[in-house]
Amino acid sequence: MNNKKTNSKGSFFTRKQFELLIVCVTTGFIIGYSYNQAKDNREAGTIDSELFEQEESYREELITQQERNKELTEELNNLQEQIRKYEKSFASNEKDYKKLVEQAEDLRLLLGELKSEGKGIRITLQDGDYDPKSLNPNDYIVHESHVFKLLNELKISGAQAIAINGQRVLASSYIRCNGPVITIDGTQHPAPFVIEAVGDSDTLMASLNLNGGVVDQLLNDNIVVSLEENQKLTMPKVKVES
């Protein structure tokens, strides 16, 4: 009887203590589980927030692109409408259109962008025979002023293309005289100077041979001038150096 009481008092846990331990462990487990669950919810909430912001950003960008596409579509429609108006204008003004095309071709010929072929005339300028009695030998030499007079008359008379010693002469060409040599756009040419012009040969010849015209002026300056009509002249287009 005494032994049983002694064993009951000496046991490590009483029943109440054991139950309390179970309660504490269970409570701790619940608290830990709740904390982890709350942490996971916070992280999930953060991820959801980031995804929402990203989705919102994509949505705004999509709206911006849609508005830009709308603007481009309107611009395209306006341009197409302008093209249709131009086409109708050209169709109703076919004669004017053909005239503009011809003018554009003439300008390209003058600029040397096109090869030129056709009837025309050839003029040869040579230095005159020097008279020892003359005080100035330059009075018998072909100068750039003589060349300019001839070129201007040819252009006024409707020459489509002009060449000097085989070199195309453009509206922007620079011609300079240096003694018996003339320089055209950096290339030197000695006398005689052969000037070819593509155009209506009858008109060109008549304009040059007018009384008191260019040919008479050249002859008065002791320049030897010869004219000839040519059935076919060919002038290559100007090569643009790269």
Side-chain angles (χ1 to χ4, degrees):
M1 190 69 180
N2 292 332
N3 290 337
K4 289 182 180 180
K5 290 182 179 179
T6 303
N7 291 338
S8 177
K9 291 181 180 180
S11 60
F12 189 74
F13 289 112
T14 64
R15 181 179 180 82
K16 290 183 178 180
Q17 290 174 334
F18 181 75
E19 291 175 354
L20 181 60
L21 176 62
I22 295 299
V23 171
C24 290
V25 172
T26 303
T27 303
F29 175 77
I30 293 173
I31 293 173
Y33 178 78
S34 299
Y35 174 79
N36 290 331
Q37 189 68 25
K39 181 179 180 182
D40 292 340
N41 291 336
R42 284 197 301 271
E43 292 178 352
T46 302
I47 294 175
D48 291 341
S49 177
E50 292 177 354
L51 290 175
F52 176 79
E53 292 178 357
Q54 189 175 17
E55 182 179 355
E56 188 68 19
S57 176
Y58 289 155
R59 185 179 293 107
E60 292 178 357
E61 184 176 353
L62 177 61
I63 294 173
T64 301
Q65 291 298 328
Q66 288 175 340
E67 292 177 351
R68 179 57 178 162
N69 289 339
K70 182 179 179 181
E71 293 176 358
L72 292 175
T73 300
E74 293 177 354
E75 185 177 352
L76 176 61
N77 292 334
N78 291 334
L79 291 175
Q80 289 176 340
E81 182 63 26
Q82 290 181 15
I83 292 174
R84 284 193 289 270
K85 289 182 180 178
Y86 290 144
E87 290 174 346
K88 291 179 181 179
S89 176
F90 287 144
S92 61
N93 299 285
E94 186 175 355
K95 292 183 179 180
D96 293 339
Y97 176 70
K98 289 182 178 180
K99 185 177 180 181
L100 290 173
V101 171
E102 292 175 357
Q103 292 177 351
E105 290 294 302
D106 291 340
L107 288 174
R108 291 190 179 97
L109 286 171
L110 291 175
L111 292 173
E113 295 179 357
L114 297 177
K115 178 181 178 181
S116 179
E117 289 184 338
K119 294 182 180 180
I121 64 173
R122 180 180 290 114
I123 312 106
T124 303
L125 303 181
Q126 299 185 63
D127 296 338
D129 294 331
Y130 174 63
D131 186 355
K133 296 180 181 180
S134 175
L135 297 177
N136 191 354
N138 287 327
D139 292 339
Y140 297 86
I141 295 177
V142 179
H143 297 286
E144 69 265 27
S145 59
H146 301 131
V147 177
F148 282 137
K149 286 181 181 179
L150 188 57
L151 294 180
N152 289 334
E153 188 64 32
L154 291 172
K155 292 176 181 177
I156 293 172
S157 303
Q160 296 178 340
I162 302 173
I164 300 178
N165 288 6
Q167 180 177 349
R168 286 286 292 269
V169 177
L170 310 178
S172 59
S173 291
Y174 175 75
I175 301 175
R176 182 173 57 86
C177 177
N178 185 14
V181 176
I182 64 172
T183 302
I184 305 174
D185 297 331
T187 302
Q188 290 187 340
H189 297 276
F193 306 112
V194 179
I195 301 173
E196 296 176 321
V198 175
D200 187 295
S201 56
D202 293 336
T203 302
L204 295 175
M205 291 288 284
S207 65
L208 294 178
N209 287 317
L210 289 172
N211 290 330
V214 175
V215 172
D216 286 347
Q217 295 175 26
L218 293 174
L219 293 175
N220 290 334
D221 288 343
N222 303 312
I223 304 301
V224 179
V225 183
S226 62
L227 298 173
E228 60 177 308
E229 294 186 30
N230 199 293
Q231 293 300 316
K232 185 177 181 180
L233 293 174
T234 301
M235 300 180 189
K237 67 179 181 178
V238 176
K239 295 181 179 180
V240 180
E241 298 181 357
S242 57

